Amino acid sequence: MPTDSNISNPAARRRDAQLLVKHLEFLADNYVDQALVKDALLGGLSQSEVAKLLGMSKKTVNGHARVPYMRYAASIDPRAGERVHFDREFFAYVWGSDDAAQSATARCKQYDRERLLVESD
């Protein structure tokens, strides 16, 4: 949470805002995109069809399809741990609800088990 010194320090507020935006972009570019790609592939679309549907390159689609879904640190900075609590809210916003976000994650892990032969928690 912001400290009194950060509230009175506009440079610190701006830096915090920029880091939060970068964190949310990271989540969108990695976790959301990966879940969308894997769900479409499980639905029977080819990588080329998924790339066209989502406006991605085939290389990007292939990368998302080959990487197991794992949570990892988005950035290394003093407040990274504080931003993690935004993740759940962000995913619920993107997917429409907490349940839908959990389903998207489960579908991603299903893809990993079936196609990548990766055991997930």
Side-chain angles (χ1 to χ4, degrees), residues 40-99:
L41 292 171
L42 279 174
L45 296 178
S46 70
Q47 287 191 7
S48 295
E49 292 168 327
V50 173
K52 185 176 180 181
L53 176 70
L54 297 177
M56 297 177 177
S57 70
K58 188 169 180 280
K59 181 179 178 182
T60 299
V61 169
N62 184 271
H64 285 310
R66 293 180 341 170
V67 175
Y69 184 88
M70 289 187 281
R71 294 304 307 245
Y72 50 92
S75 61
I76 299 172
D77 67 72
R79 296 191 63 195
E82 295 175 30
R83 279 193 295 290
V84 171
H85 79 275
F86 289 109
D87 294 7
R88 187 172 141 232
E89 294 169 10
F90 177 73
F91 292 137
Y93 173 80
V94 168
W95 299 112
S97 70
D98 279 335
D99 290 341

